[in-house]
Amino acid sequence: MVQTYTAVVKHDEGAWIGWIEELPGVNCQEATREQLLASLRVTLAEAIEFNRTEARGAAGHGYEELSIAV
């Protein structure tokens, strides 16, 4: 399943900076817009995987995973 997130990007003082709206802490800075978008994708994927691992670890045994749409 493909999930879509929103990147807020801007060029500021010679660098491209960006954030993912839906996930605090996912932000990057790069020299070009293309590099920034690539970095945001990698950082977002890593953050999601980290959060999944943390949630599953906190749940322990006998948990259930459900899809929730908003």
Side-chain angles (χ1 to χ4, degrees):
M1 173 185 1
V2 174
Q3 295 176 325
T4 302
Y5 296 88
T6 307
V8 176
V9 302
K10 74 180 219 175
H11 192 253
D12 190 33
E13 297 184 21
W16 282 89
I17 56 176
W19 306 262
I20 299 298
E21 281 185 0
E22 297 85 356
L23 201 56
V26 177
N27 52 74
C28 299
Q29 177 179 331
E30 295 290 349
T32 69
R33 185 177 185 272
E34 292 76 22
Q35 290 171 331
L36 173 64
L37 295 176
S39 290
L40 284 170
R41 283 185 190 95
V42 169
T43 305
L44 175 59
E46 290 172 350
I48 290 170
E49 185 56 36
F50 176 80
N51 288 348
R52 282 187 179 129
T53 301
E54 288 289 306
R56 290 172 181 157
H61 299 288
Y63 66 87
E64 182 179 7
E65 291 183 278
L66 304 170
S67 295
I68 298 176
V70 293

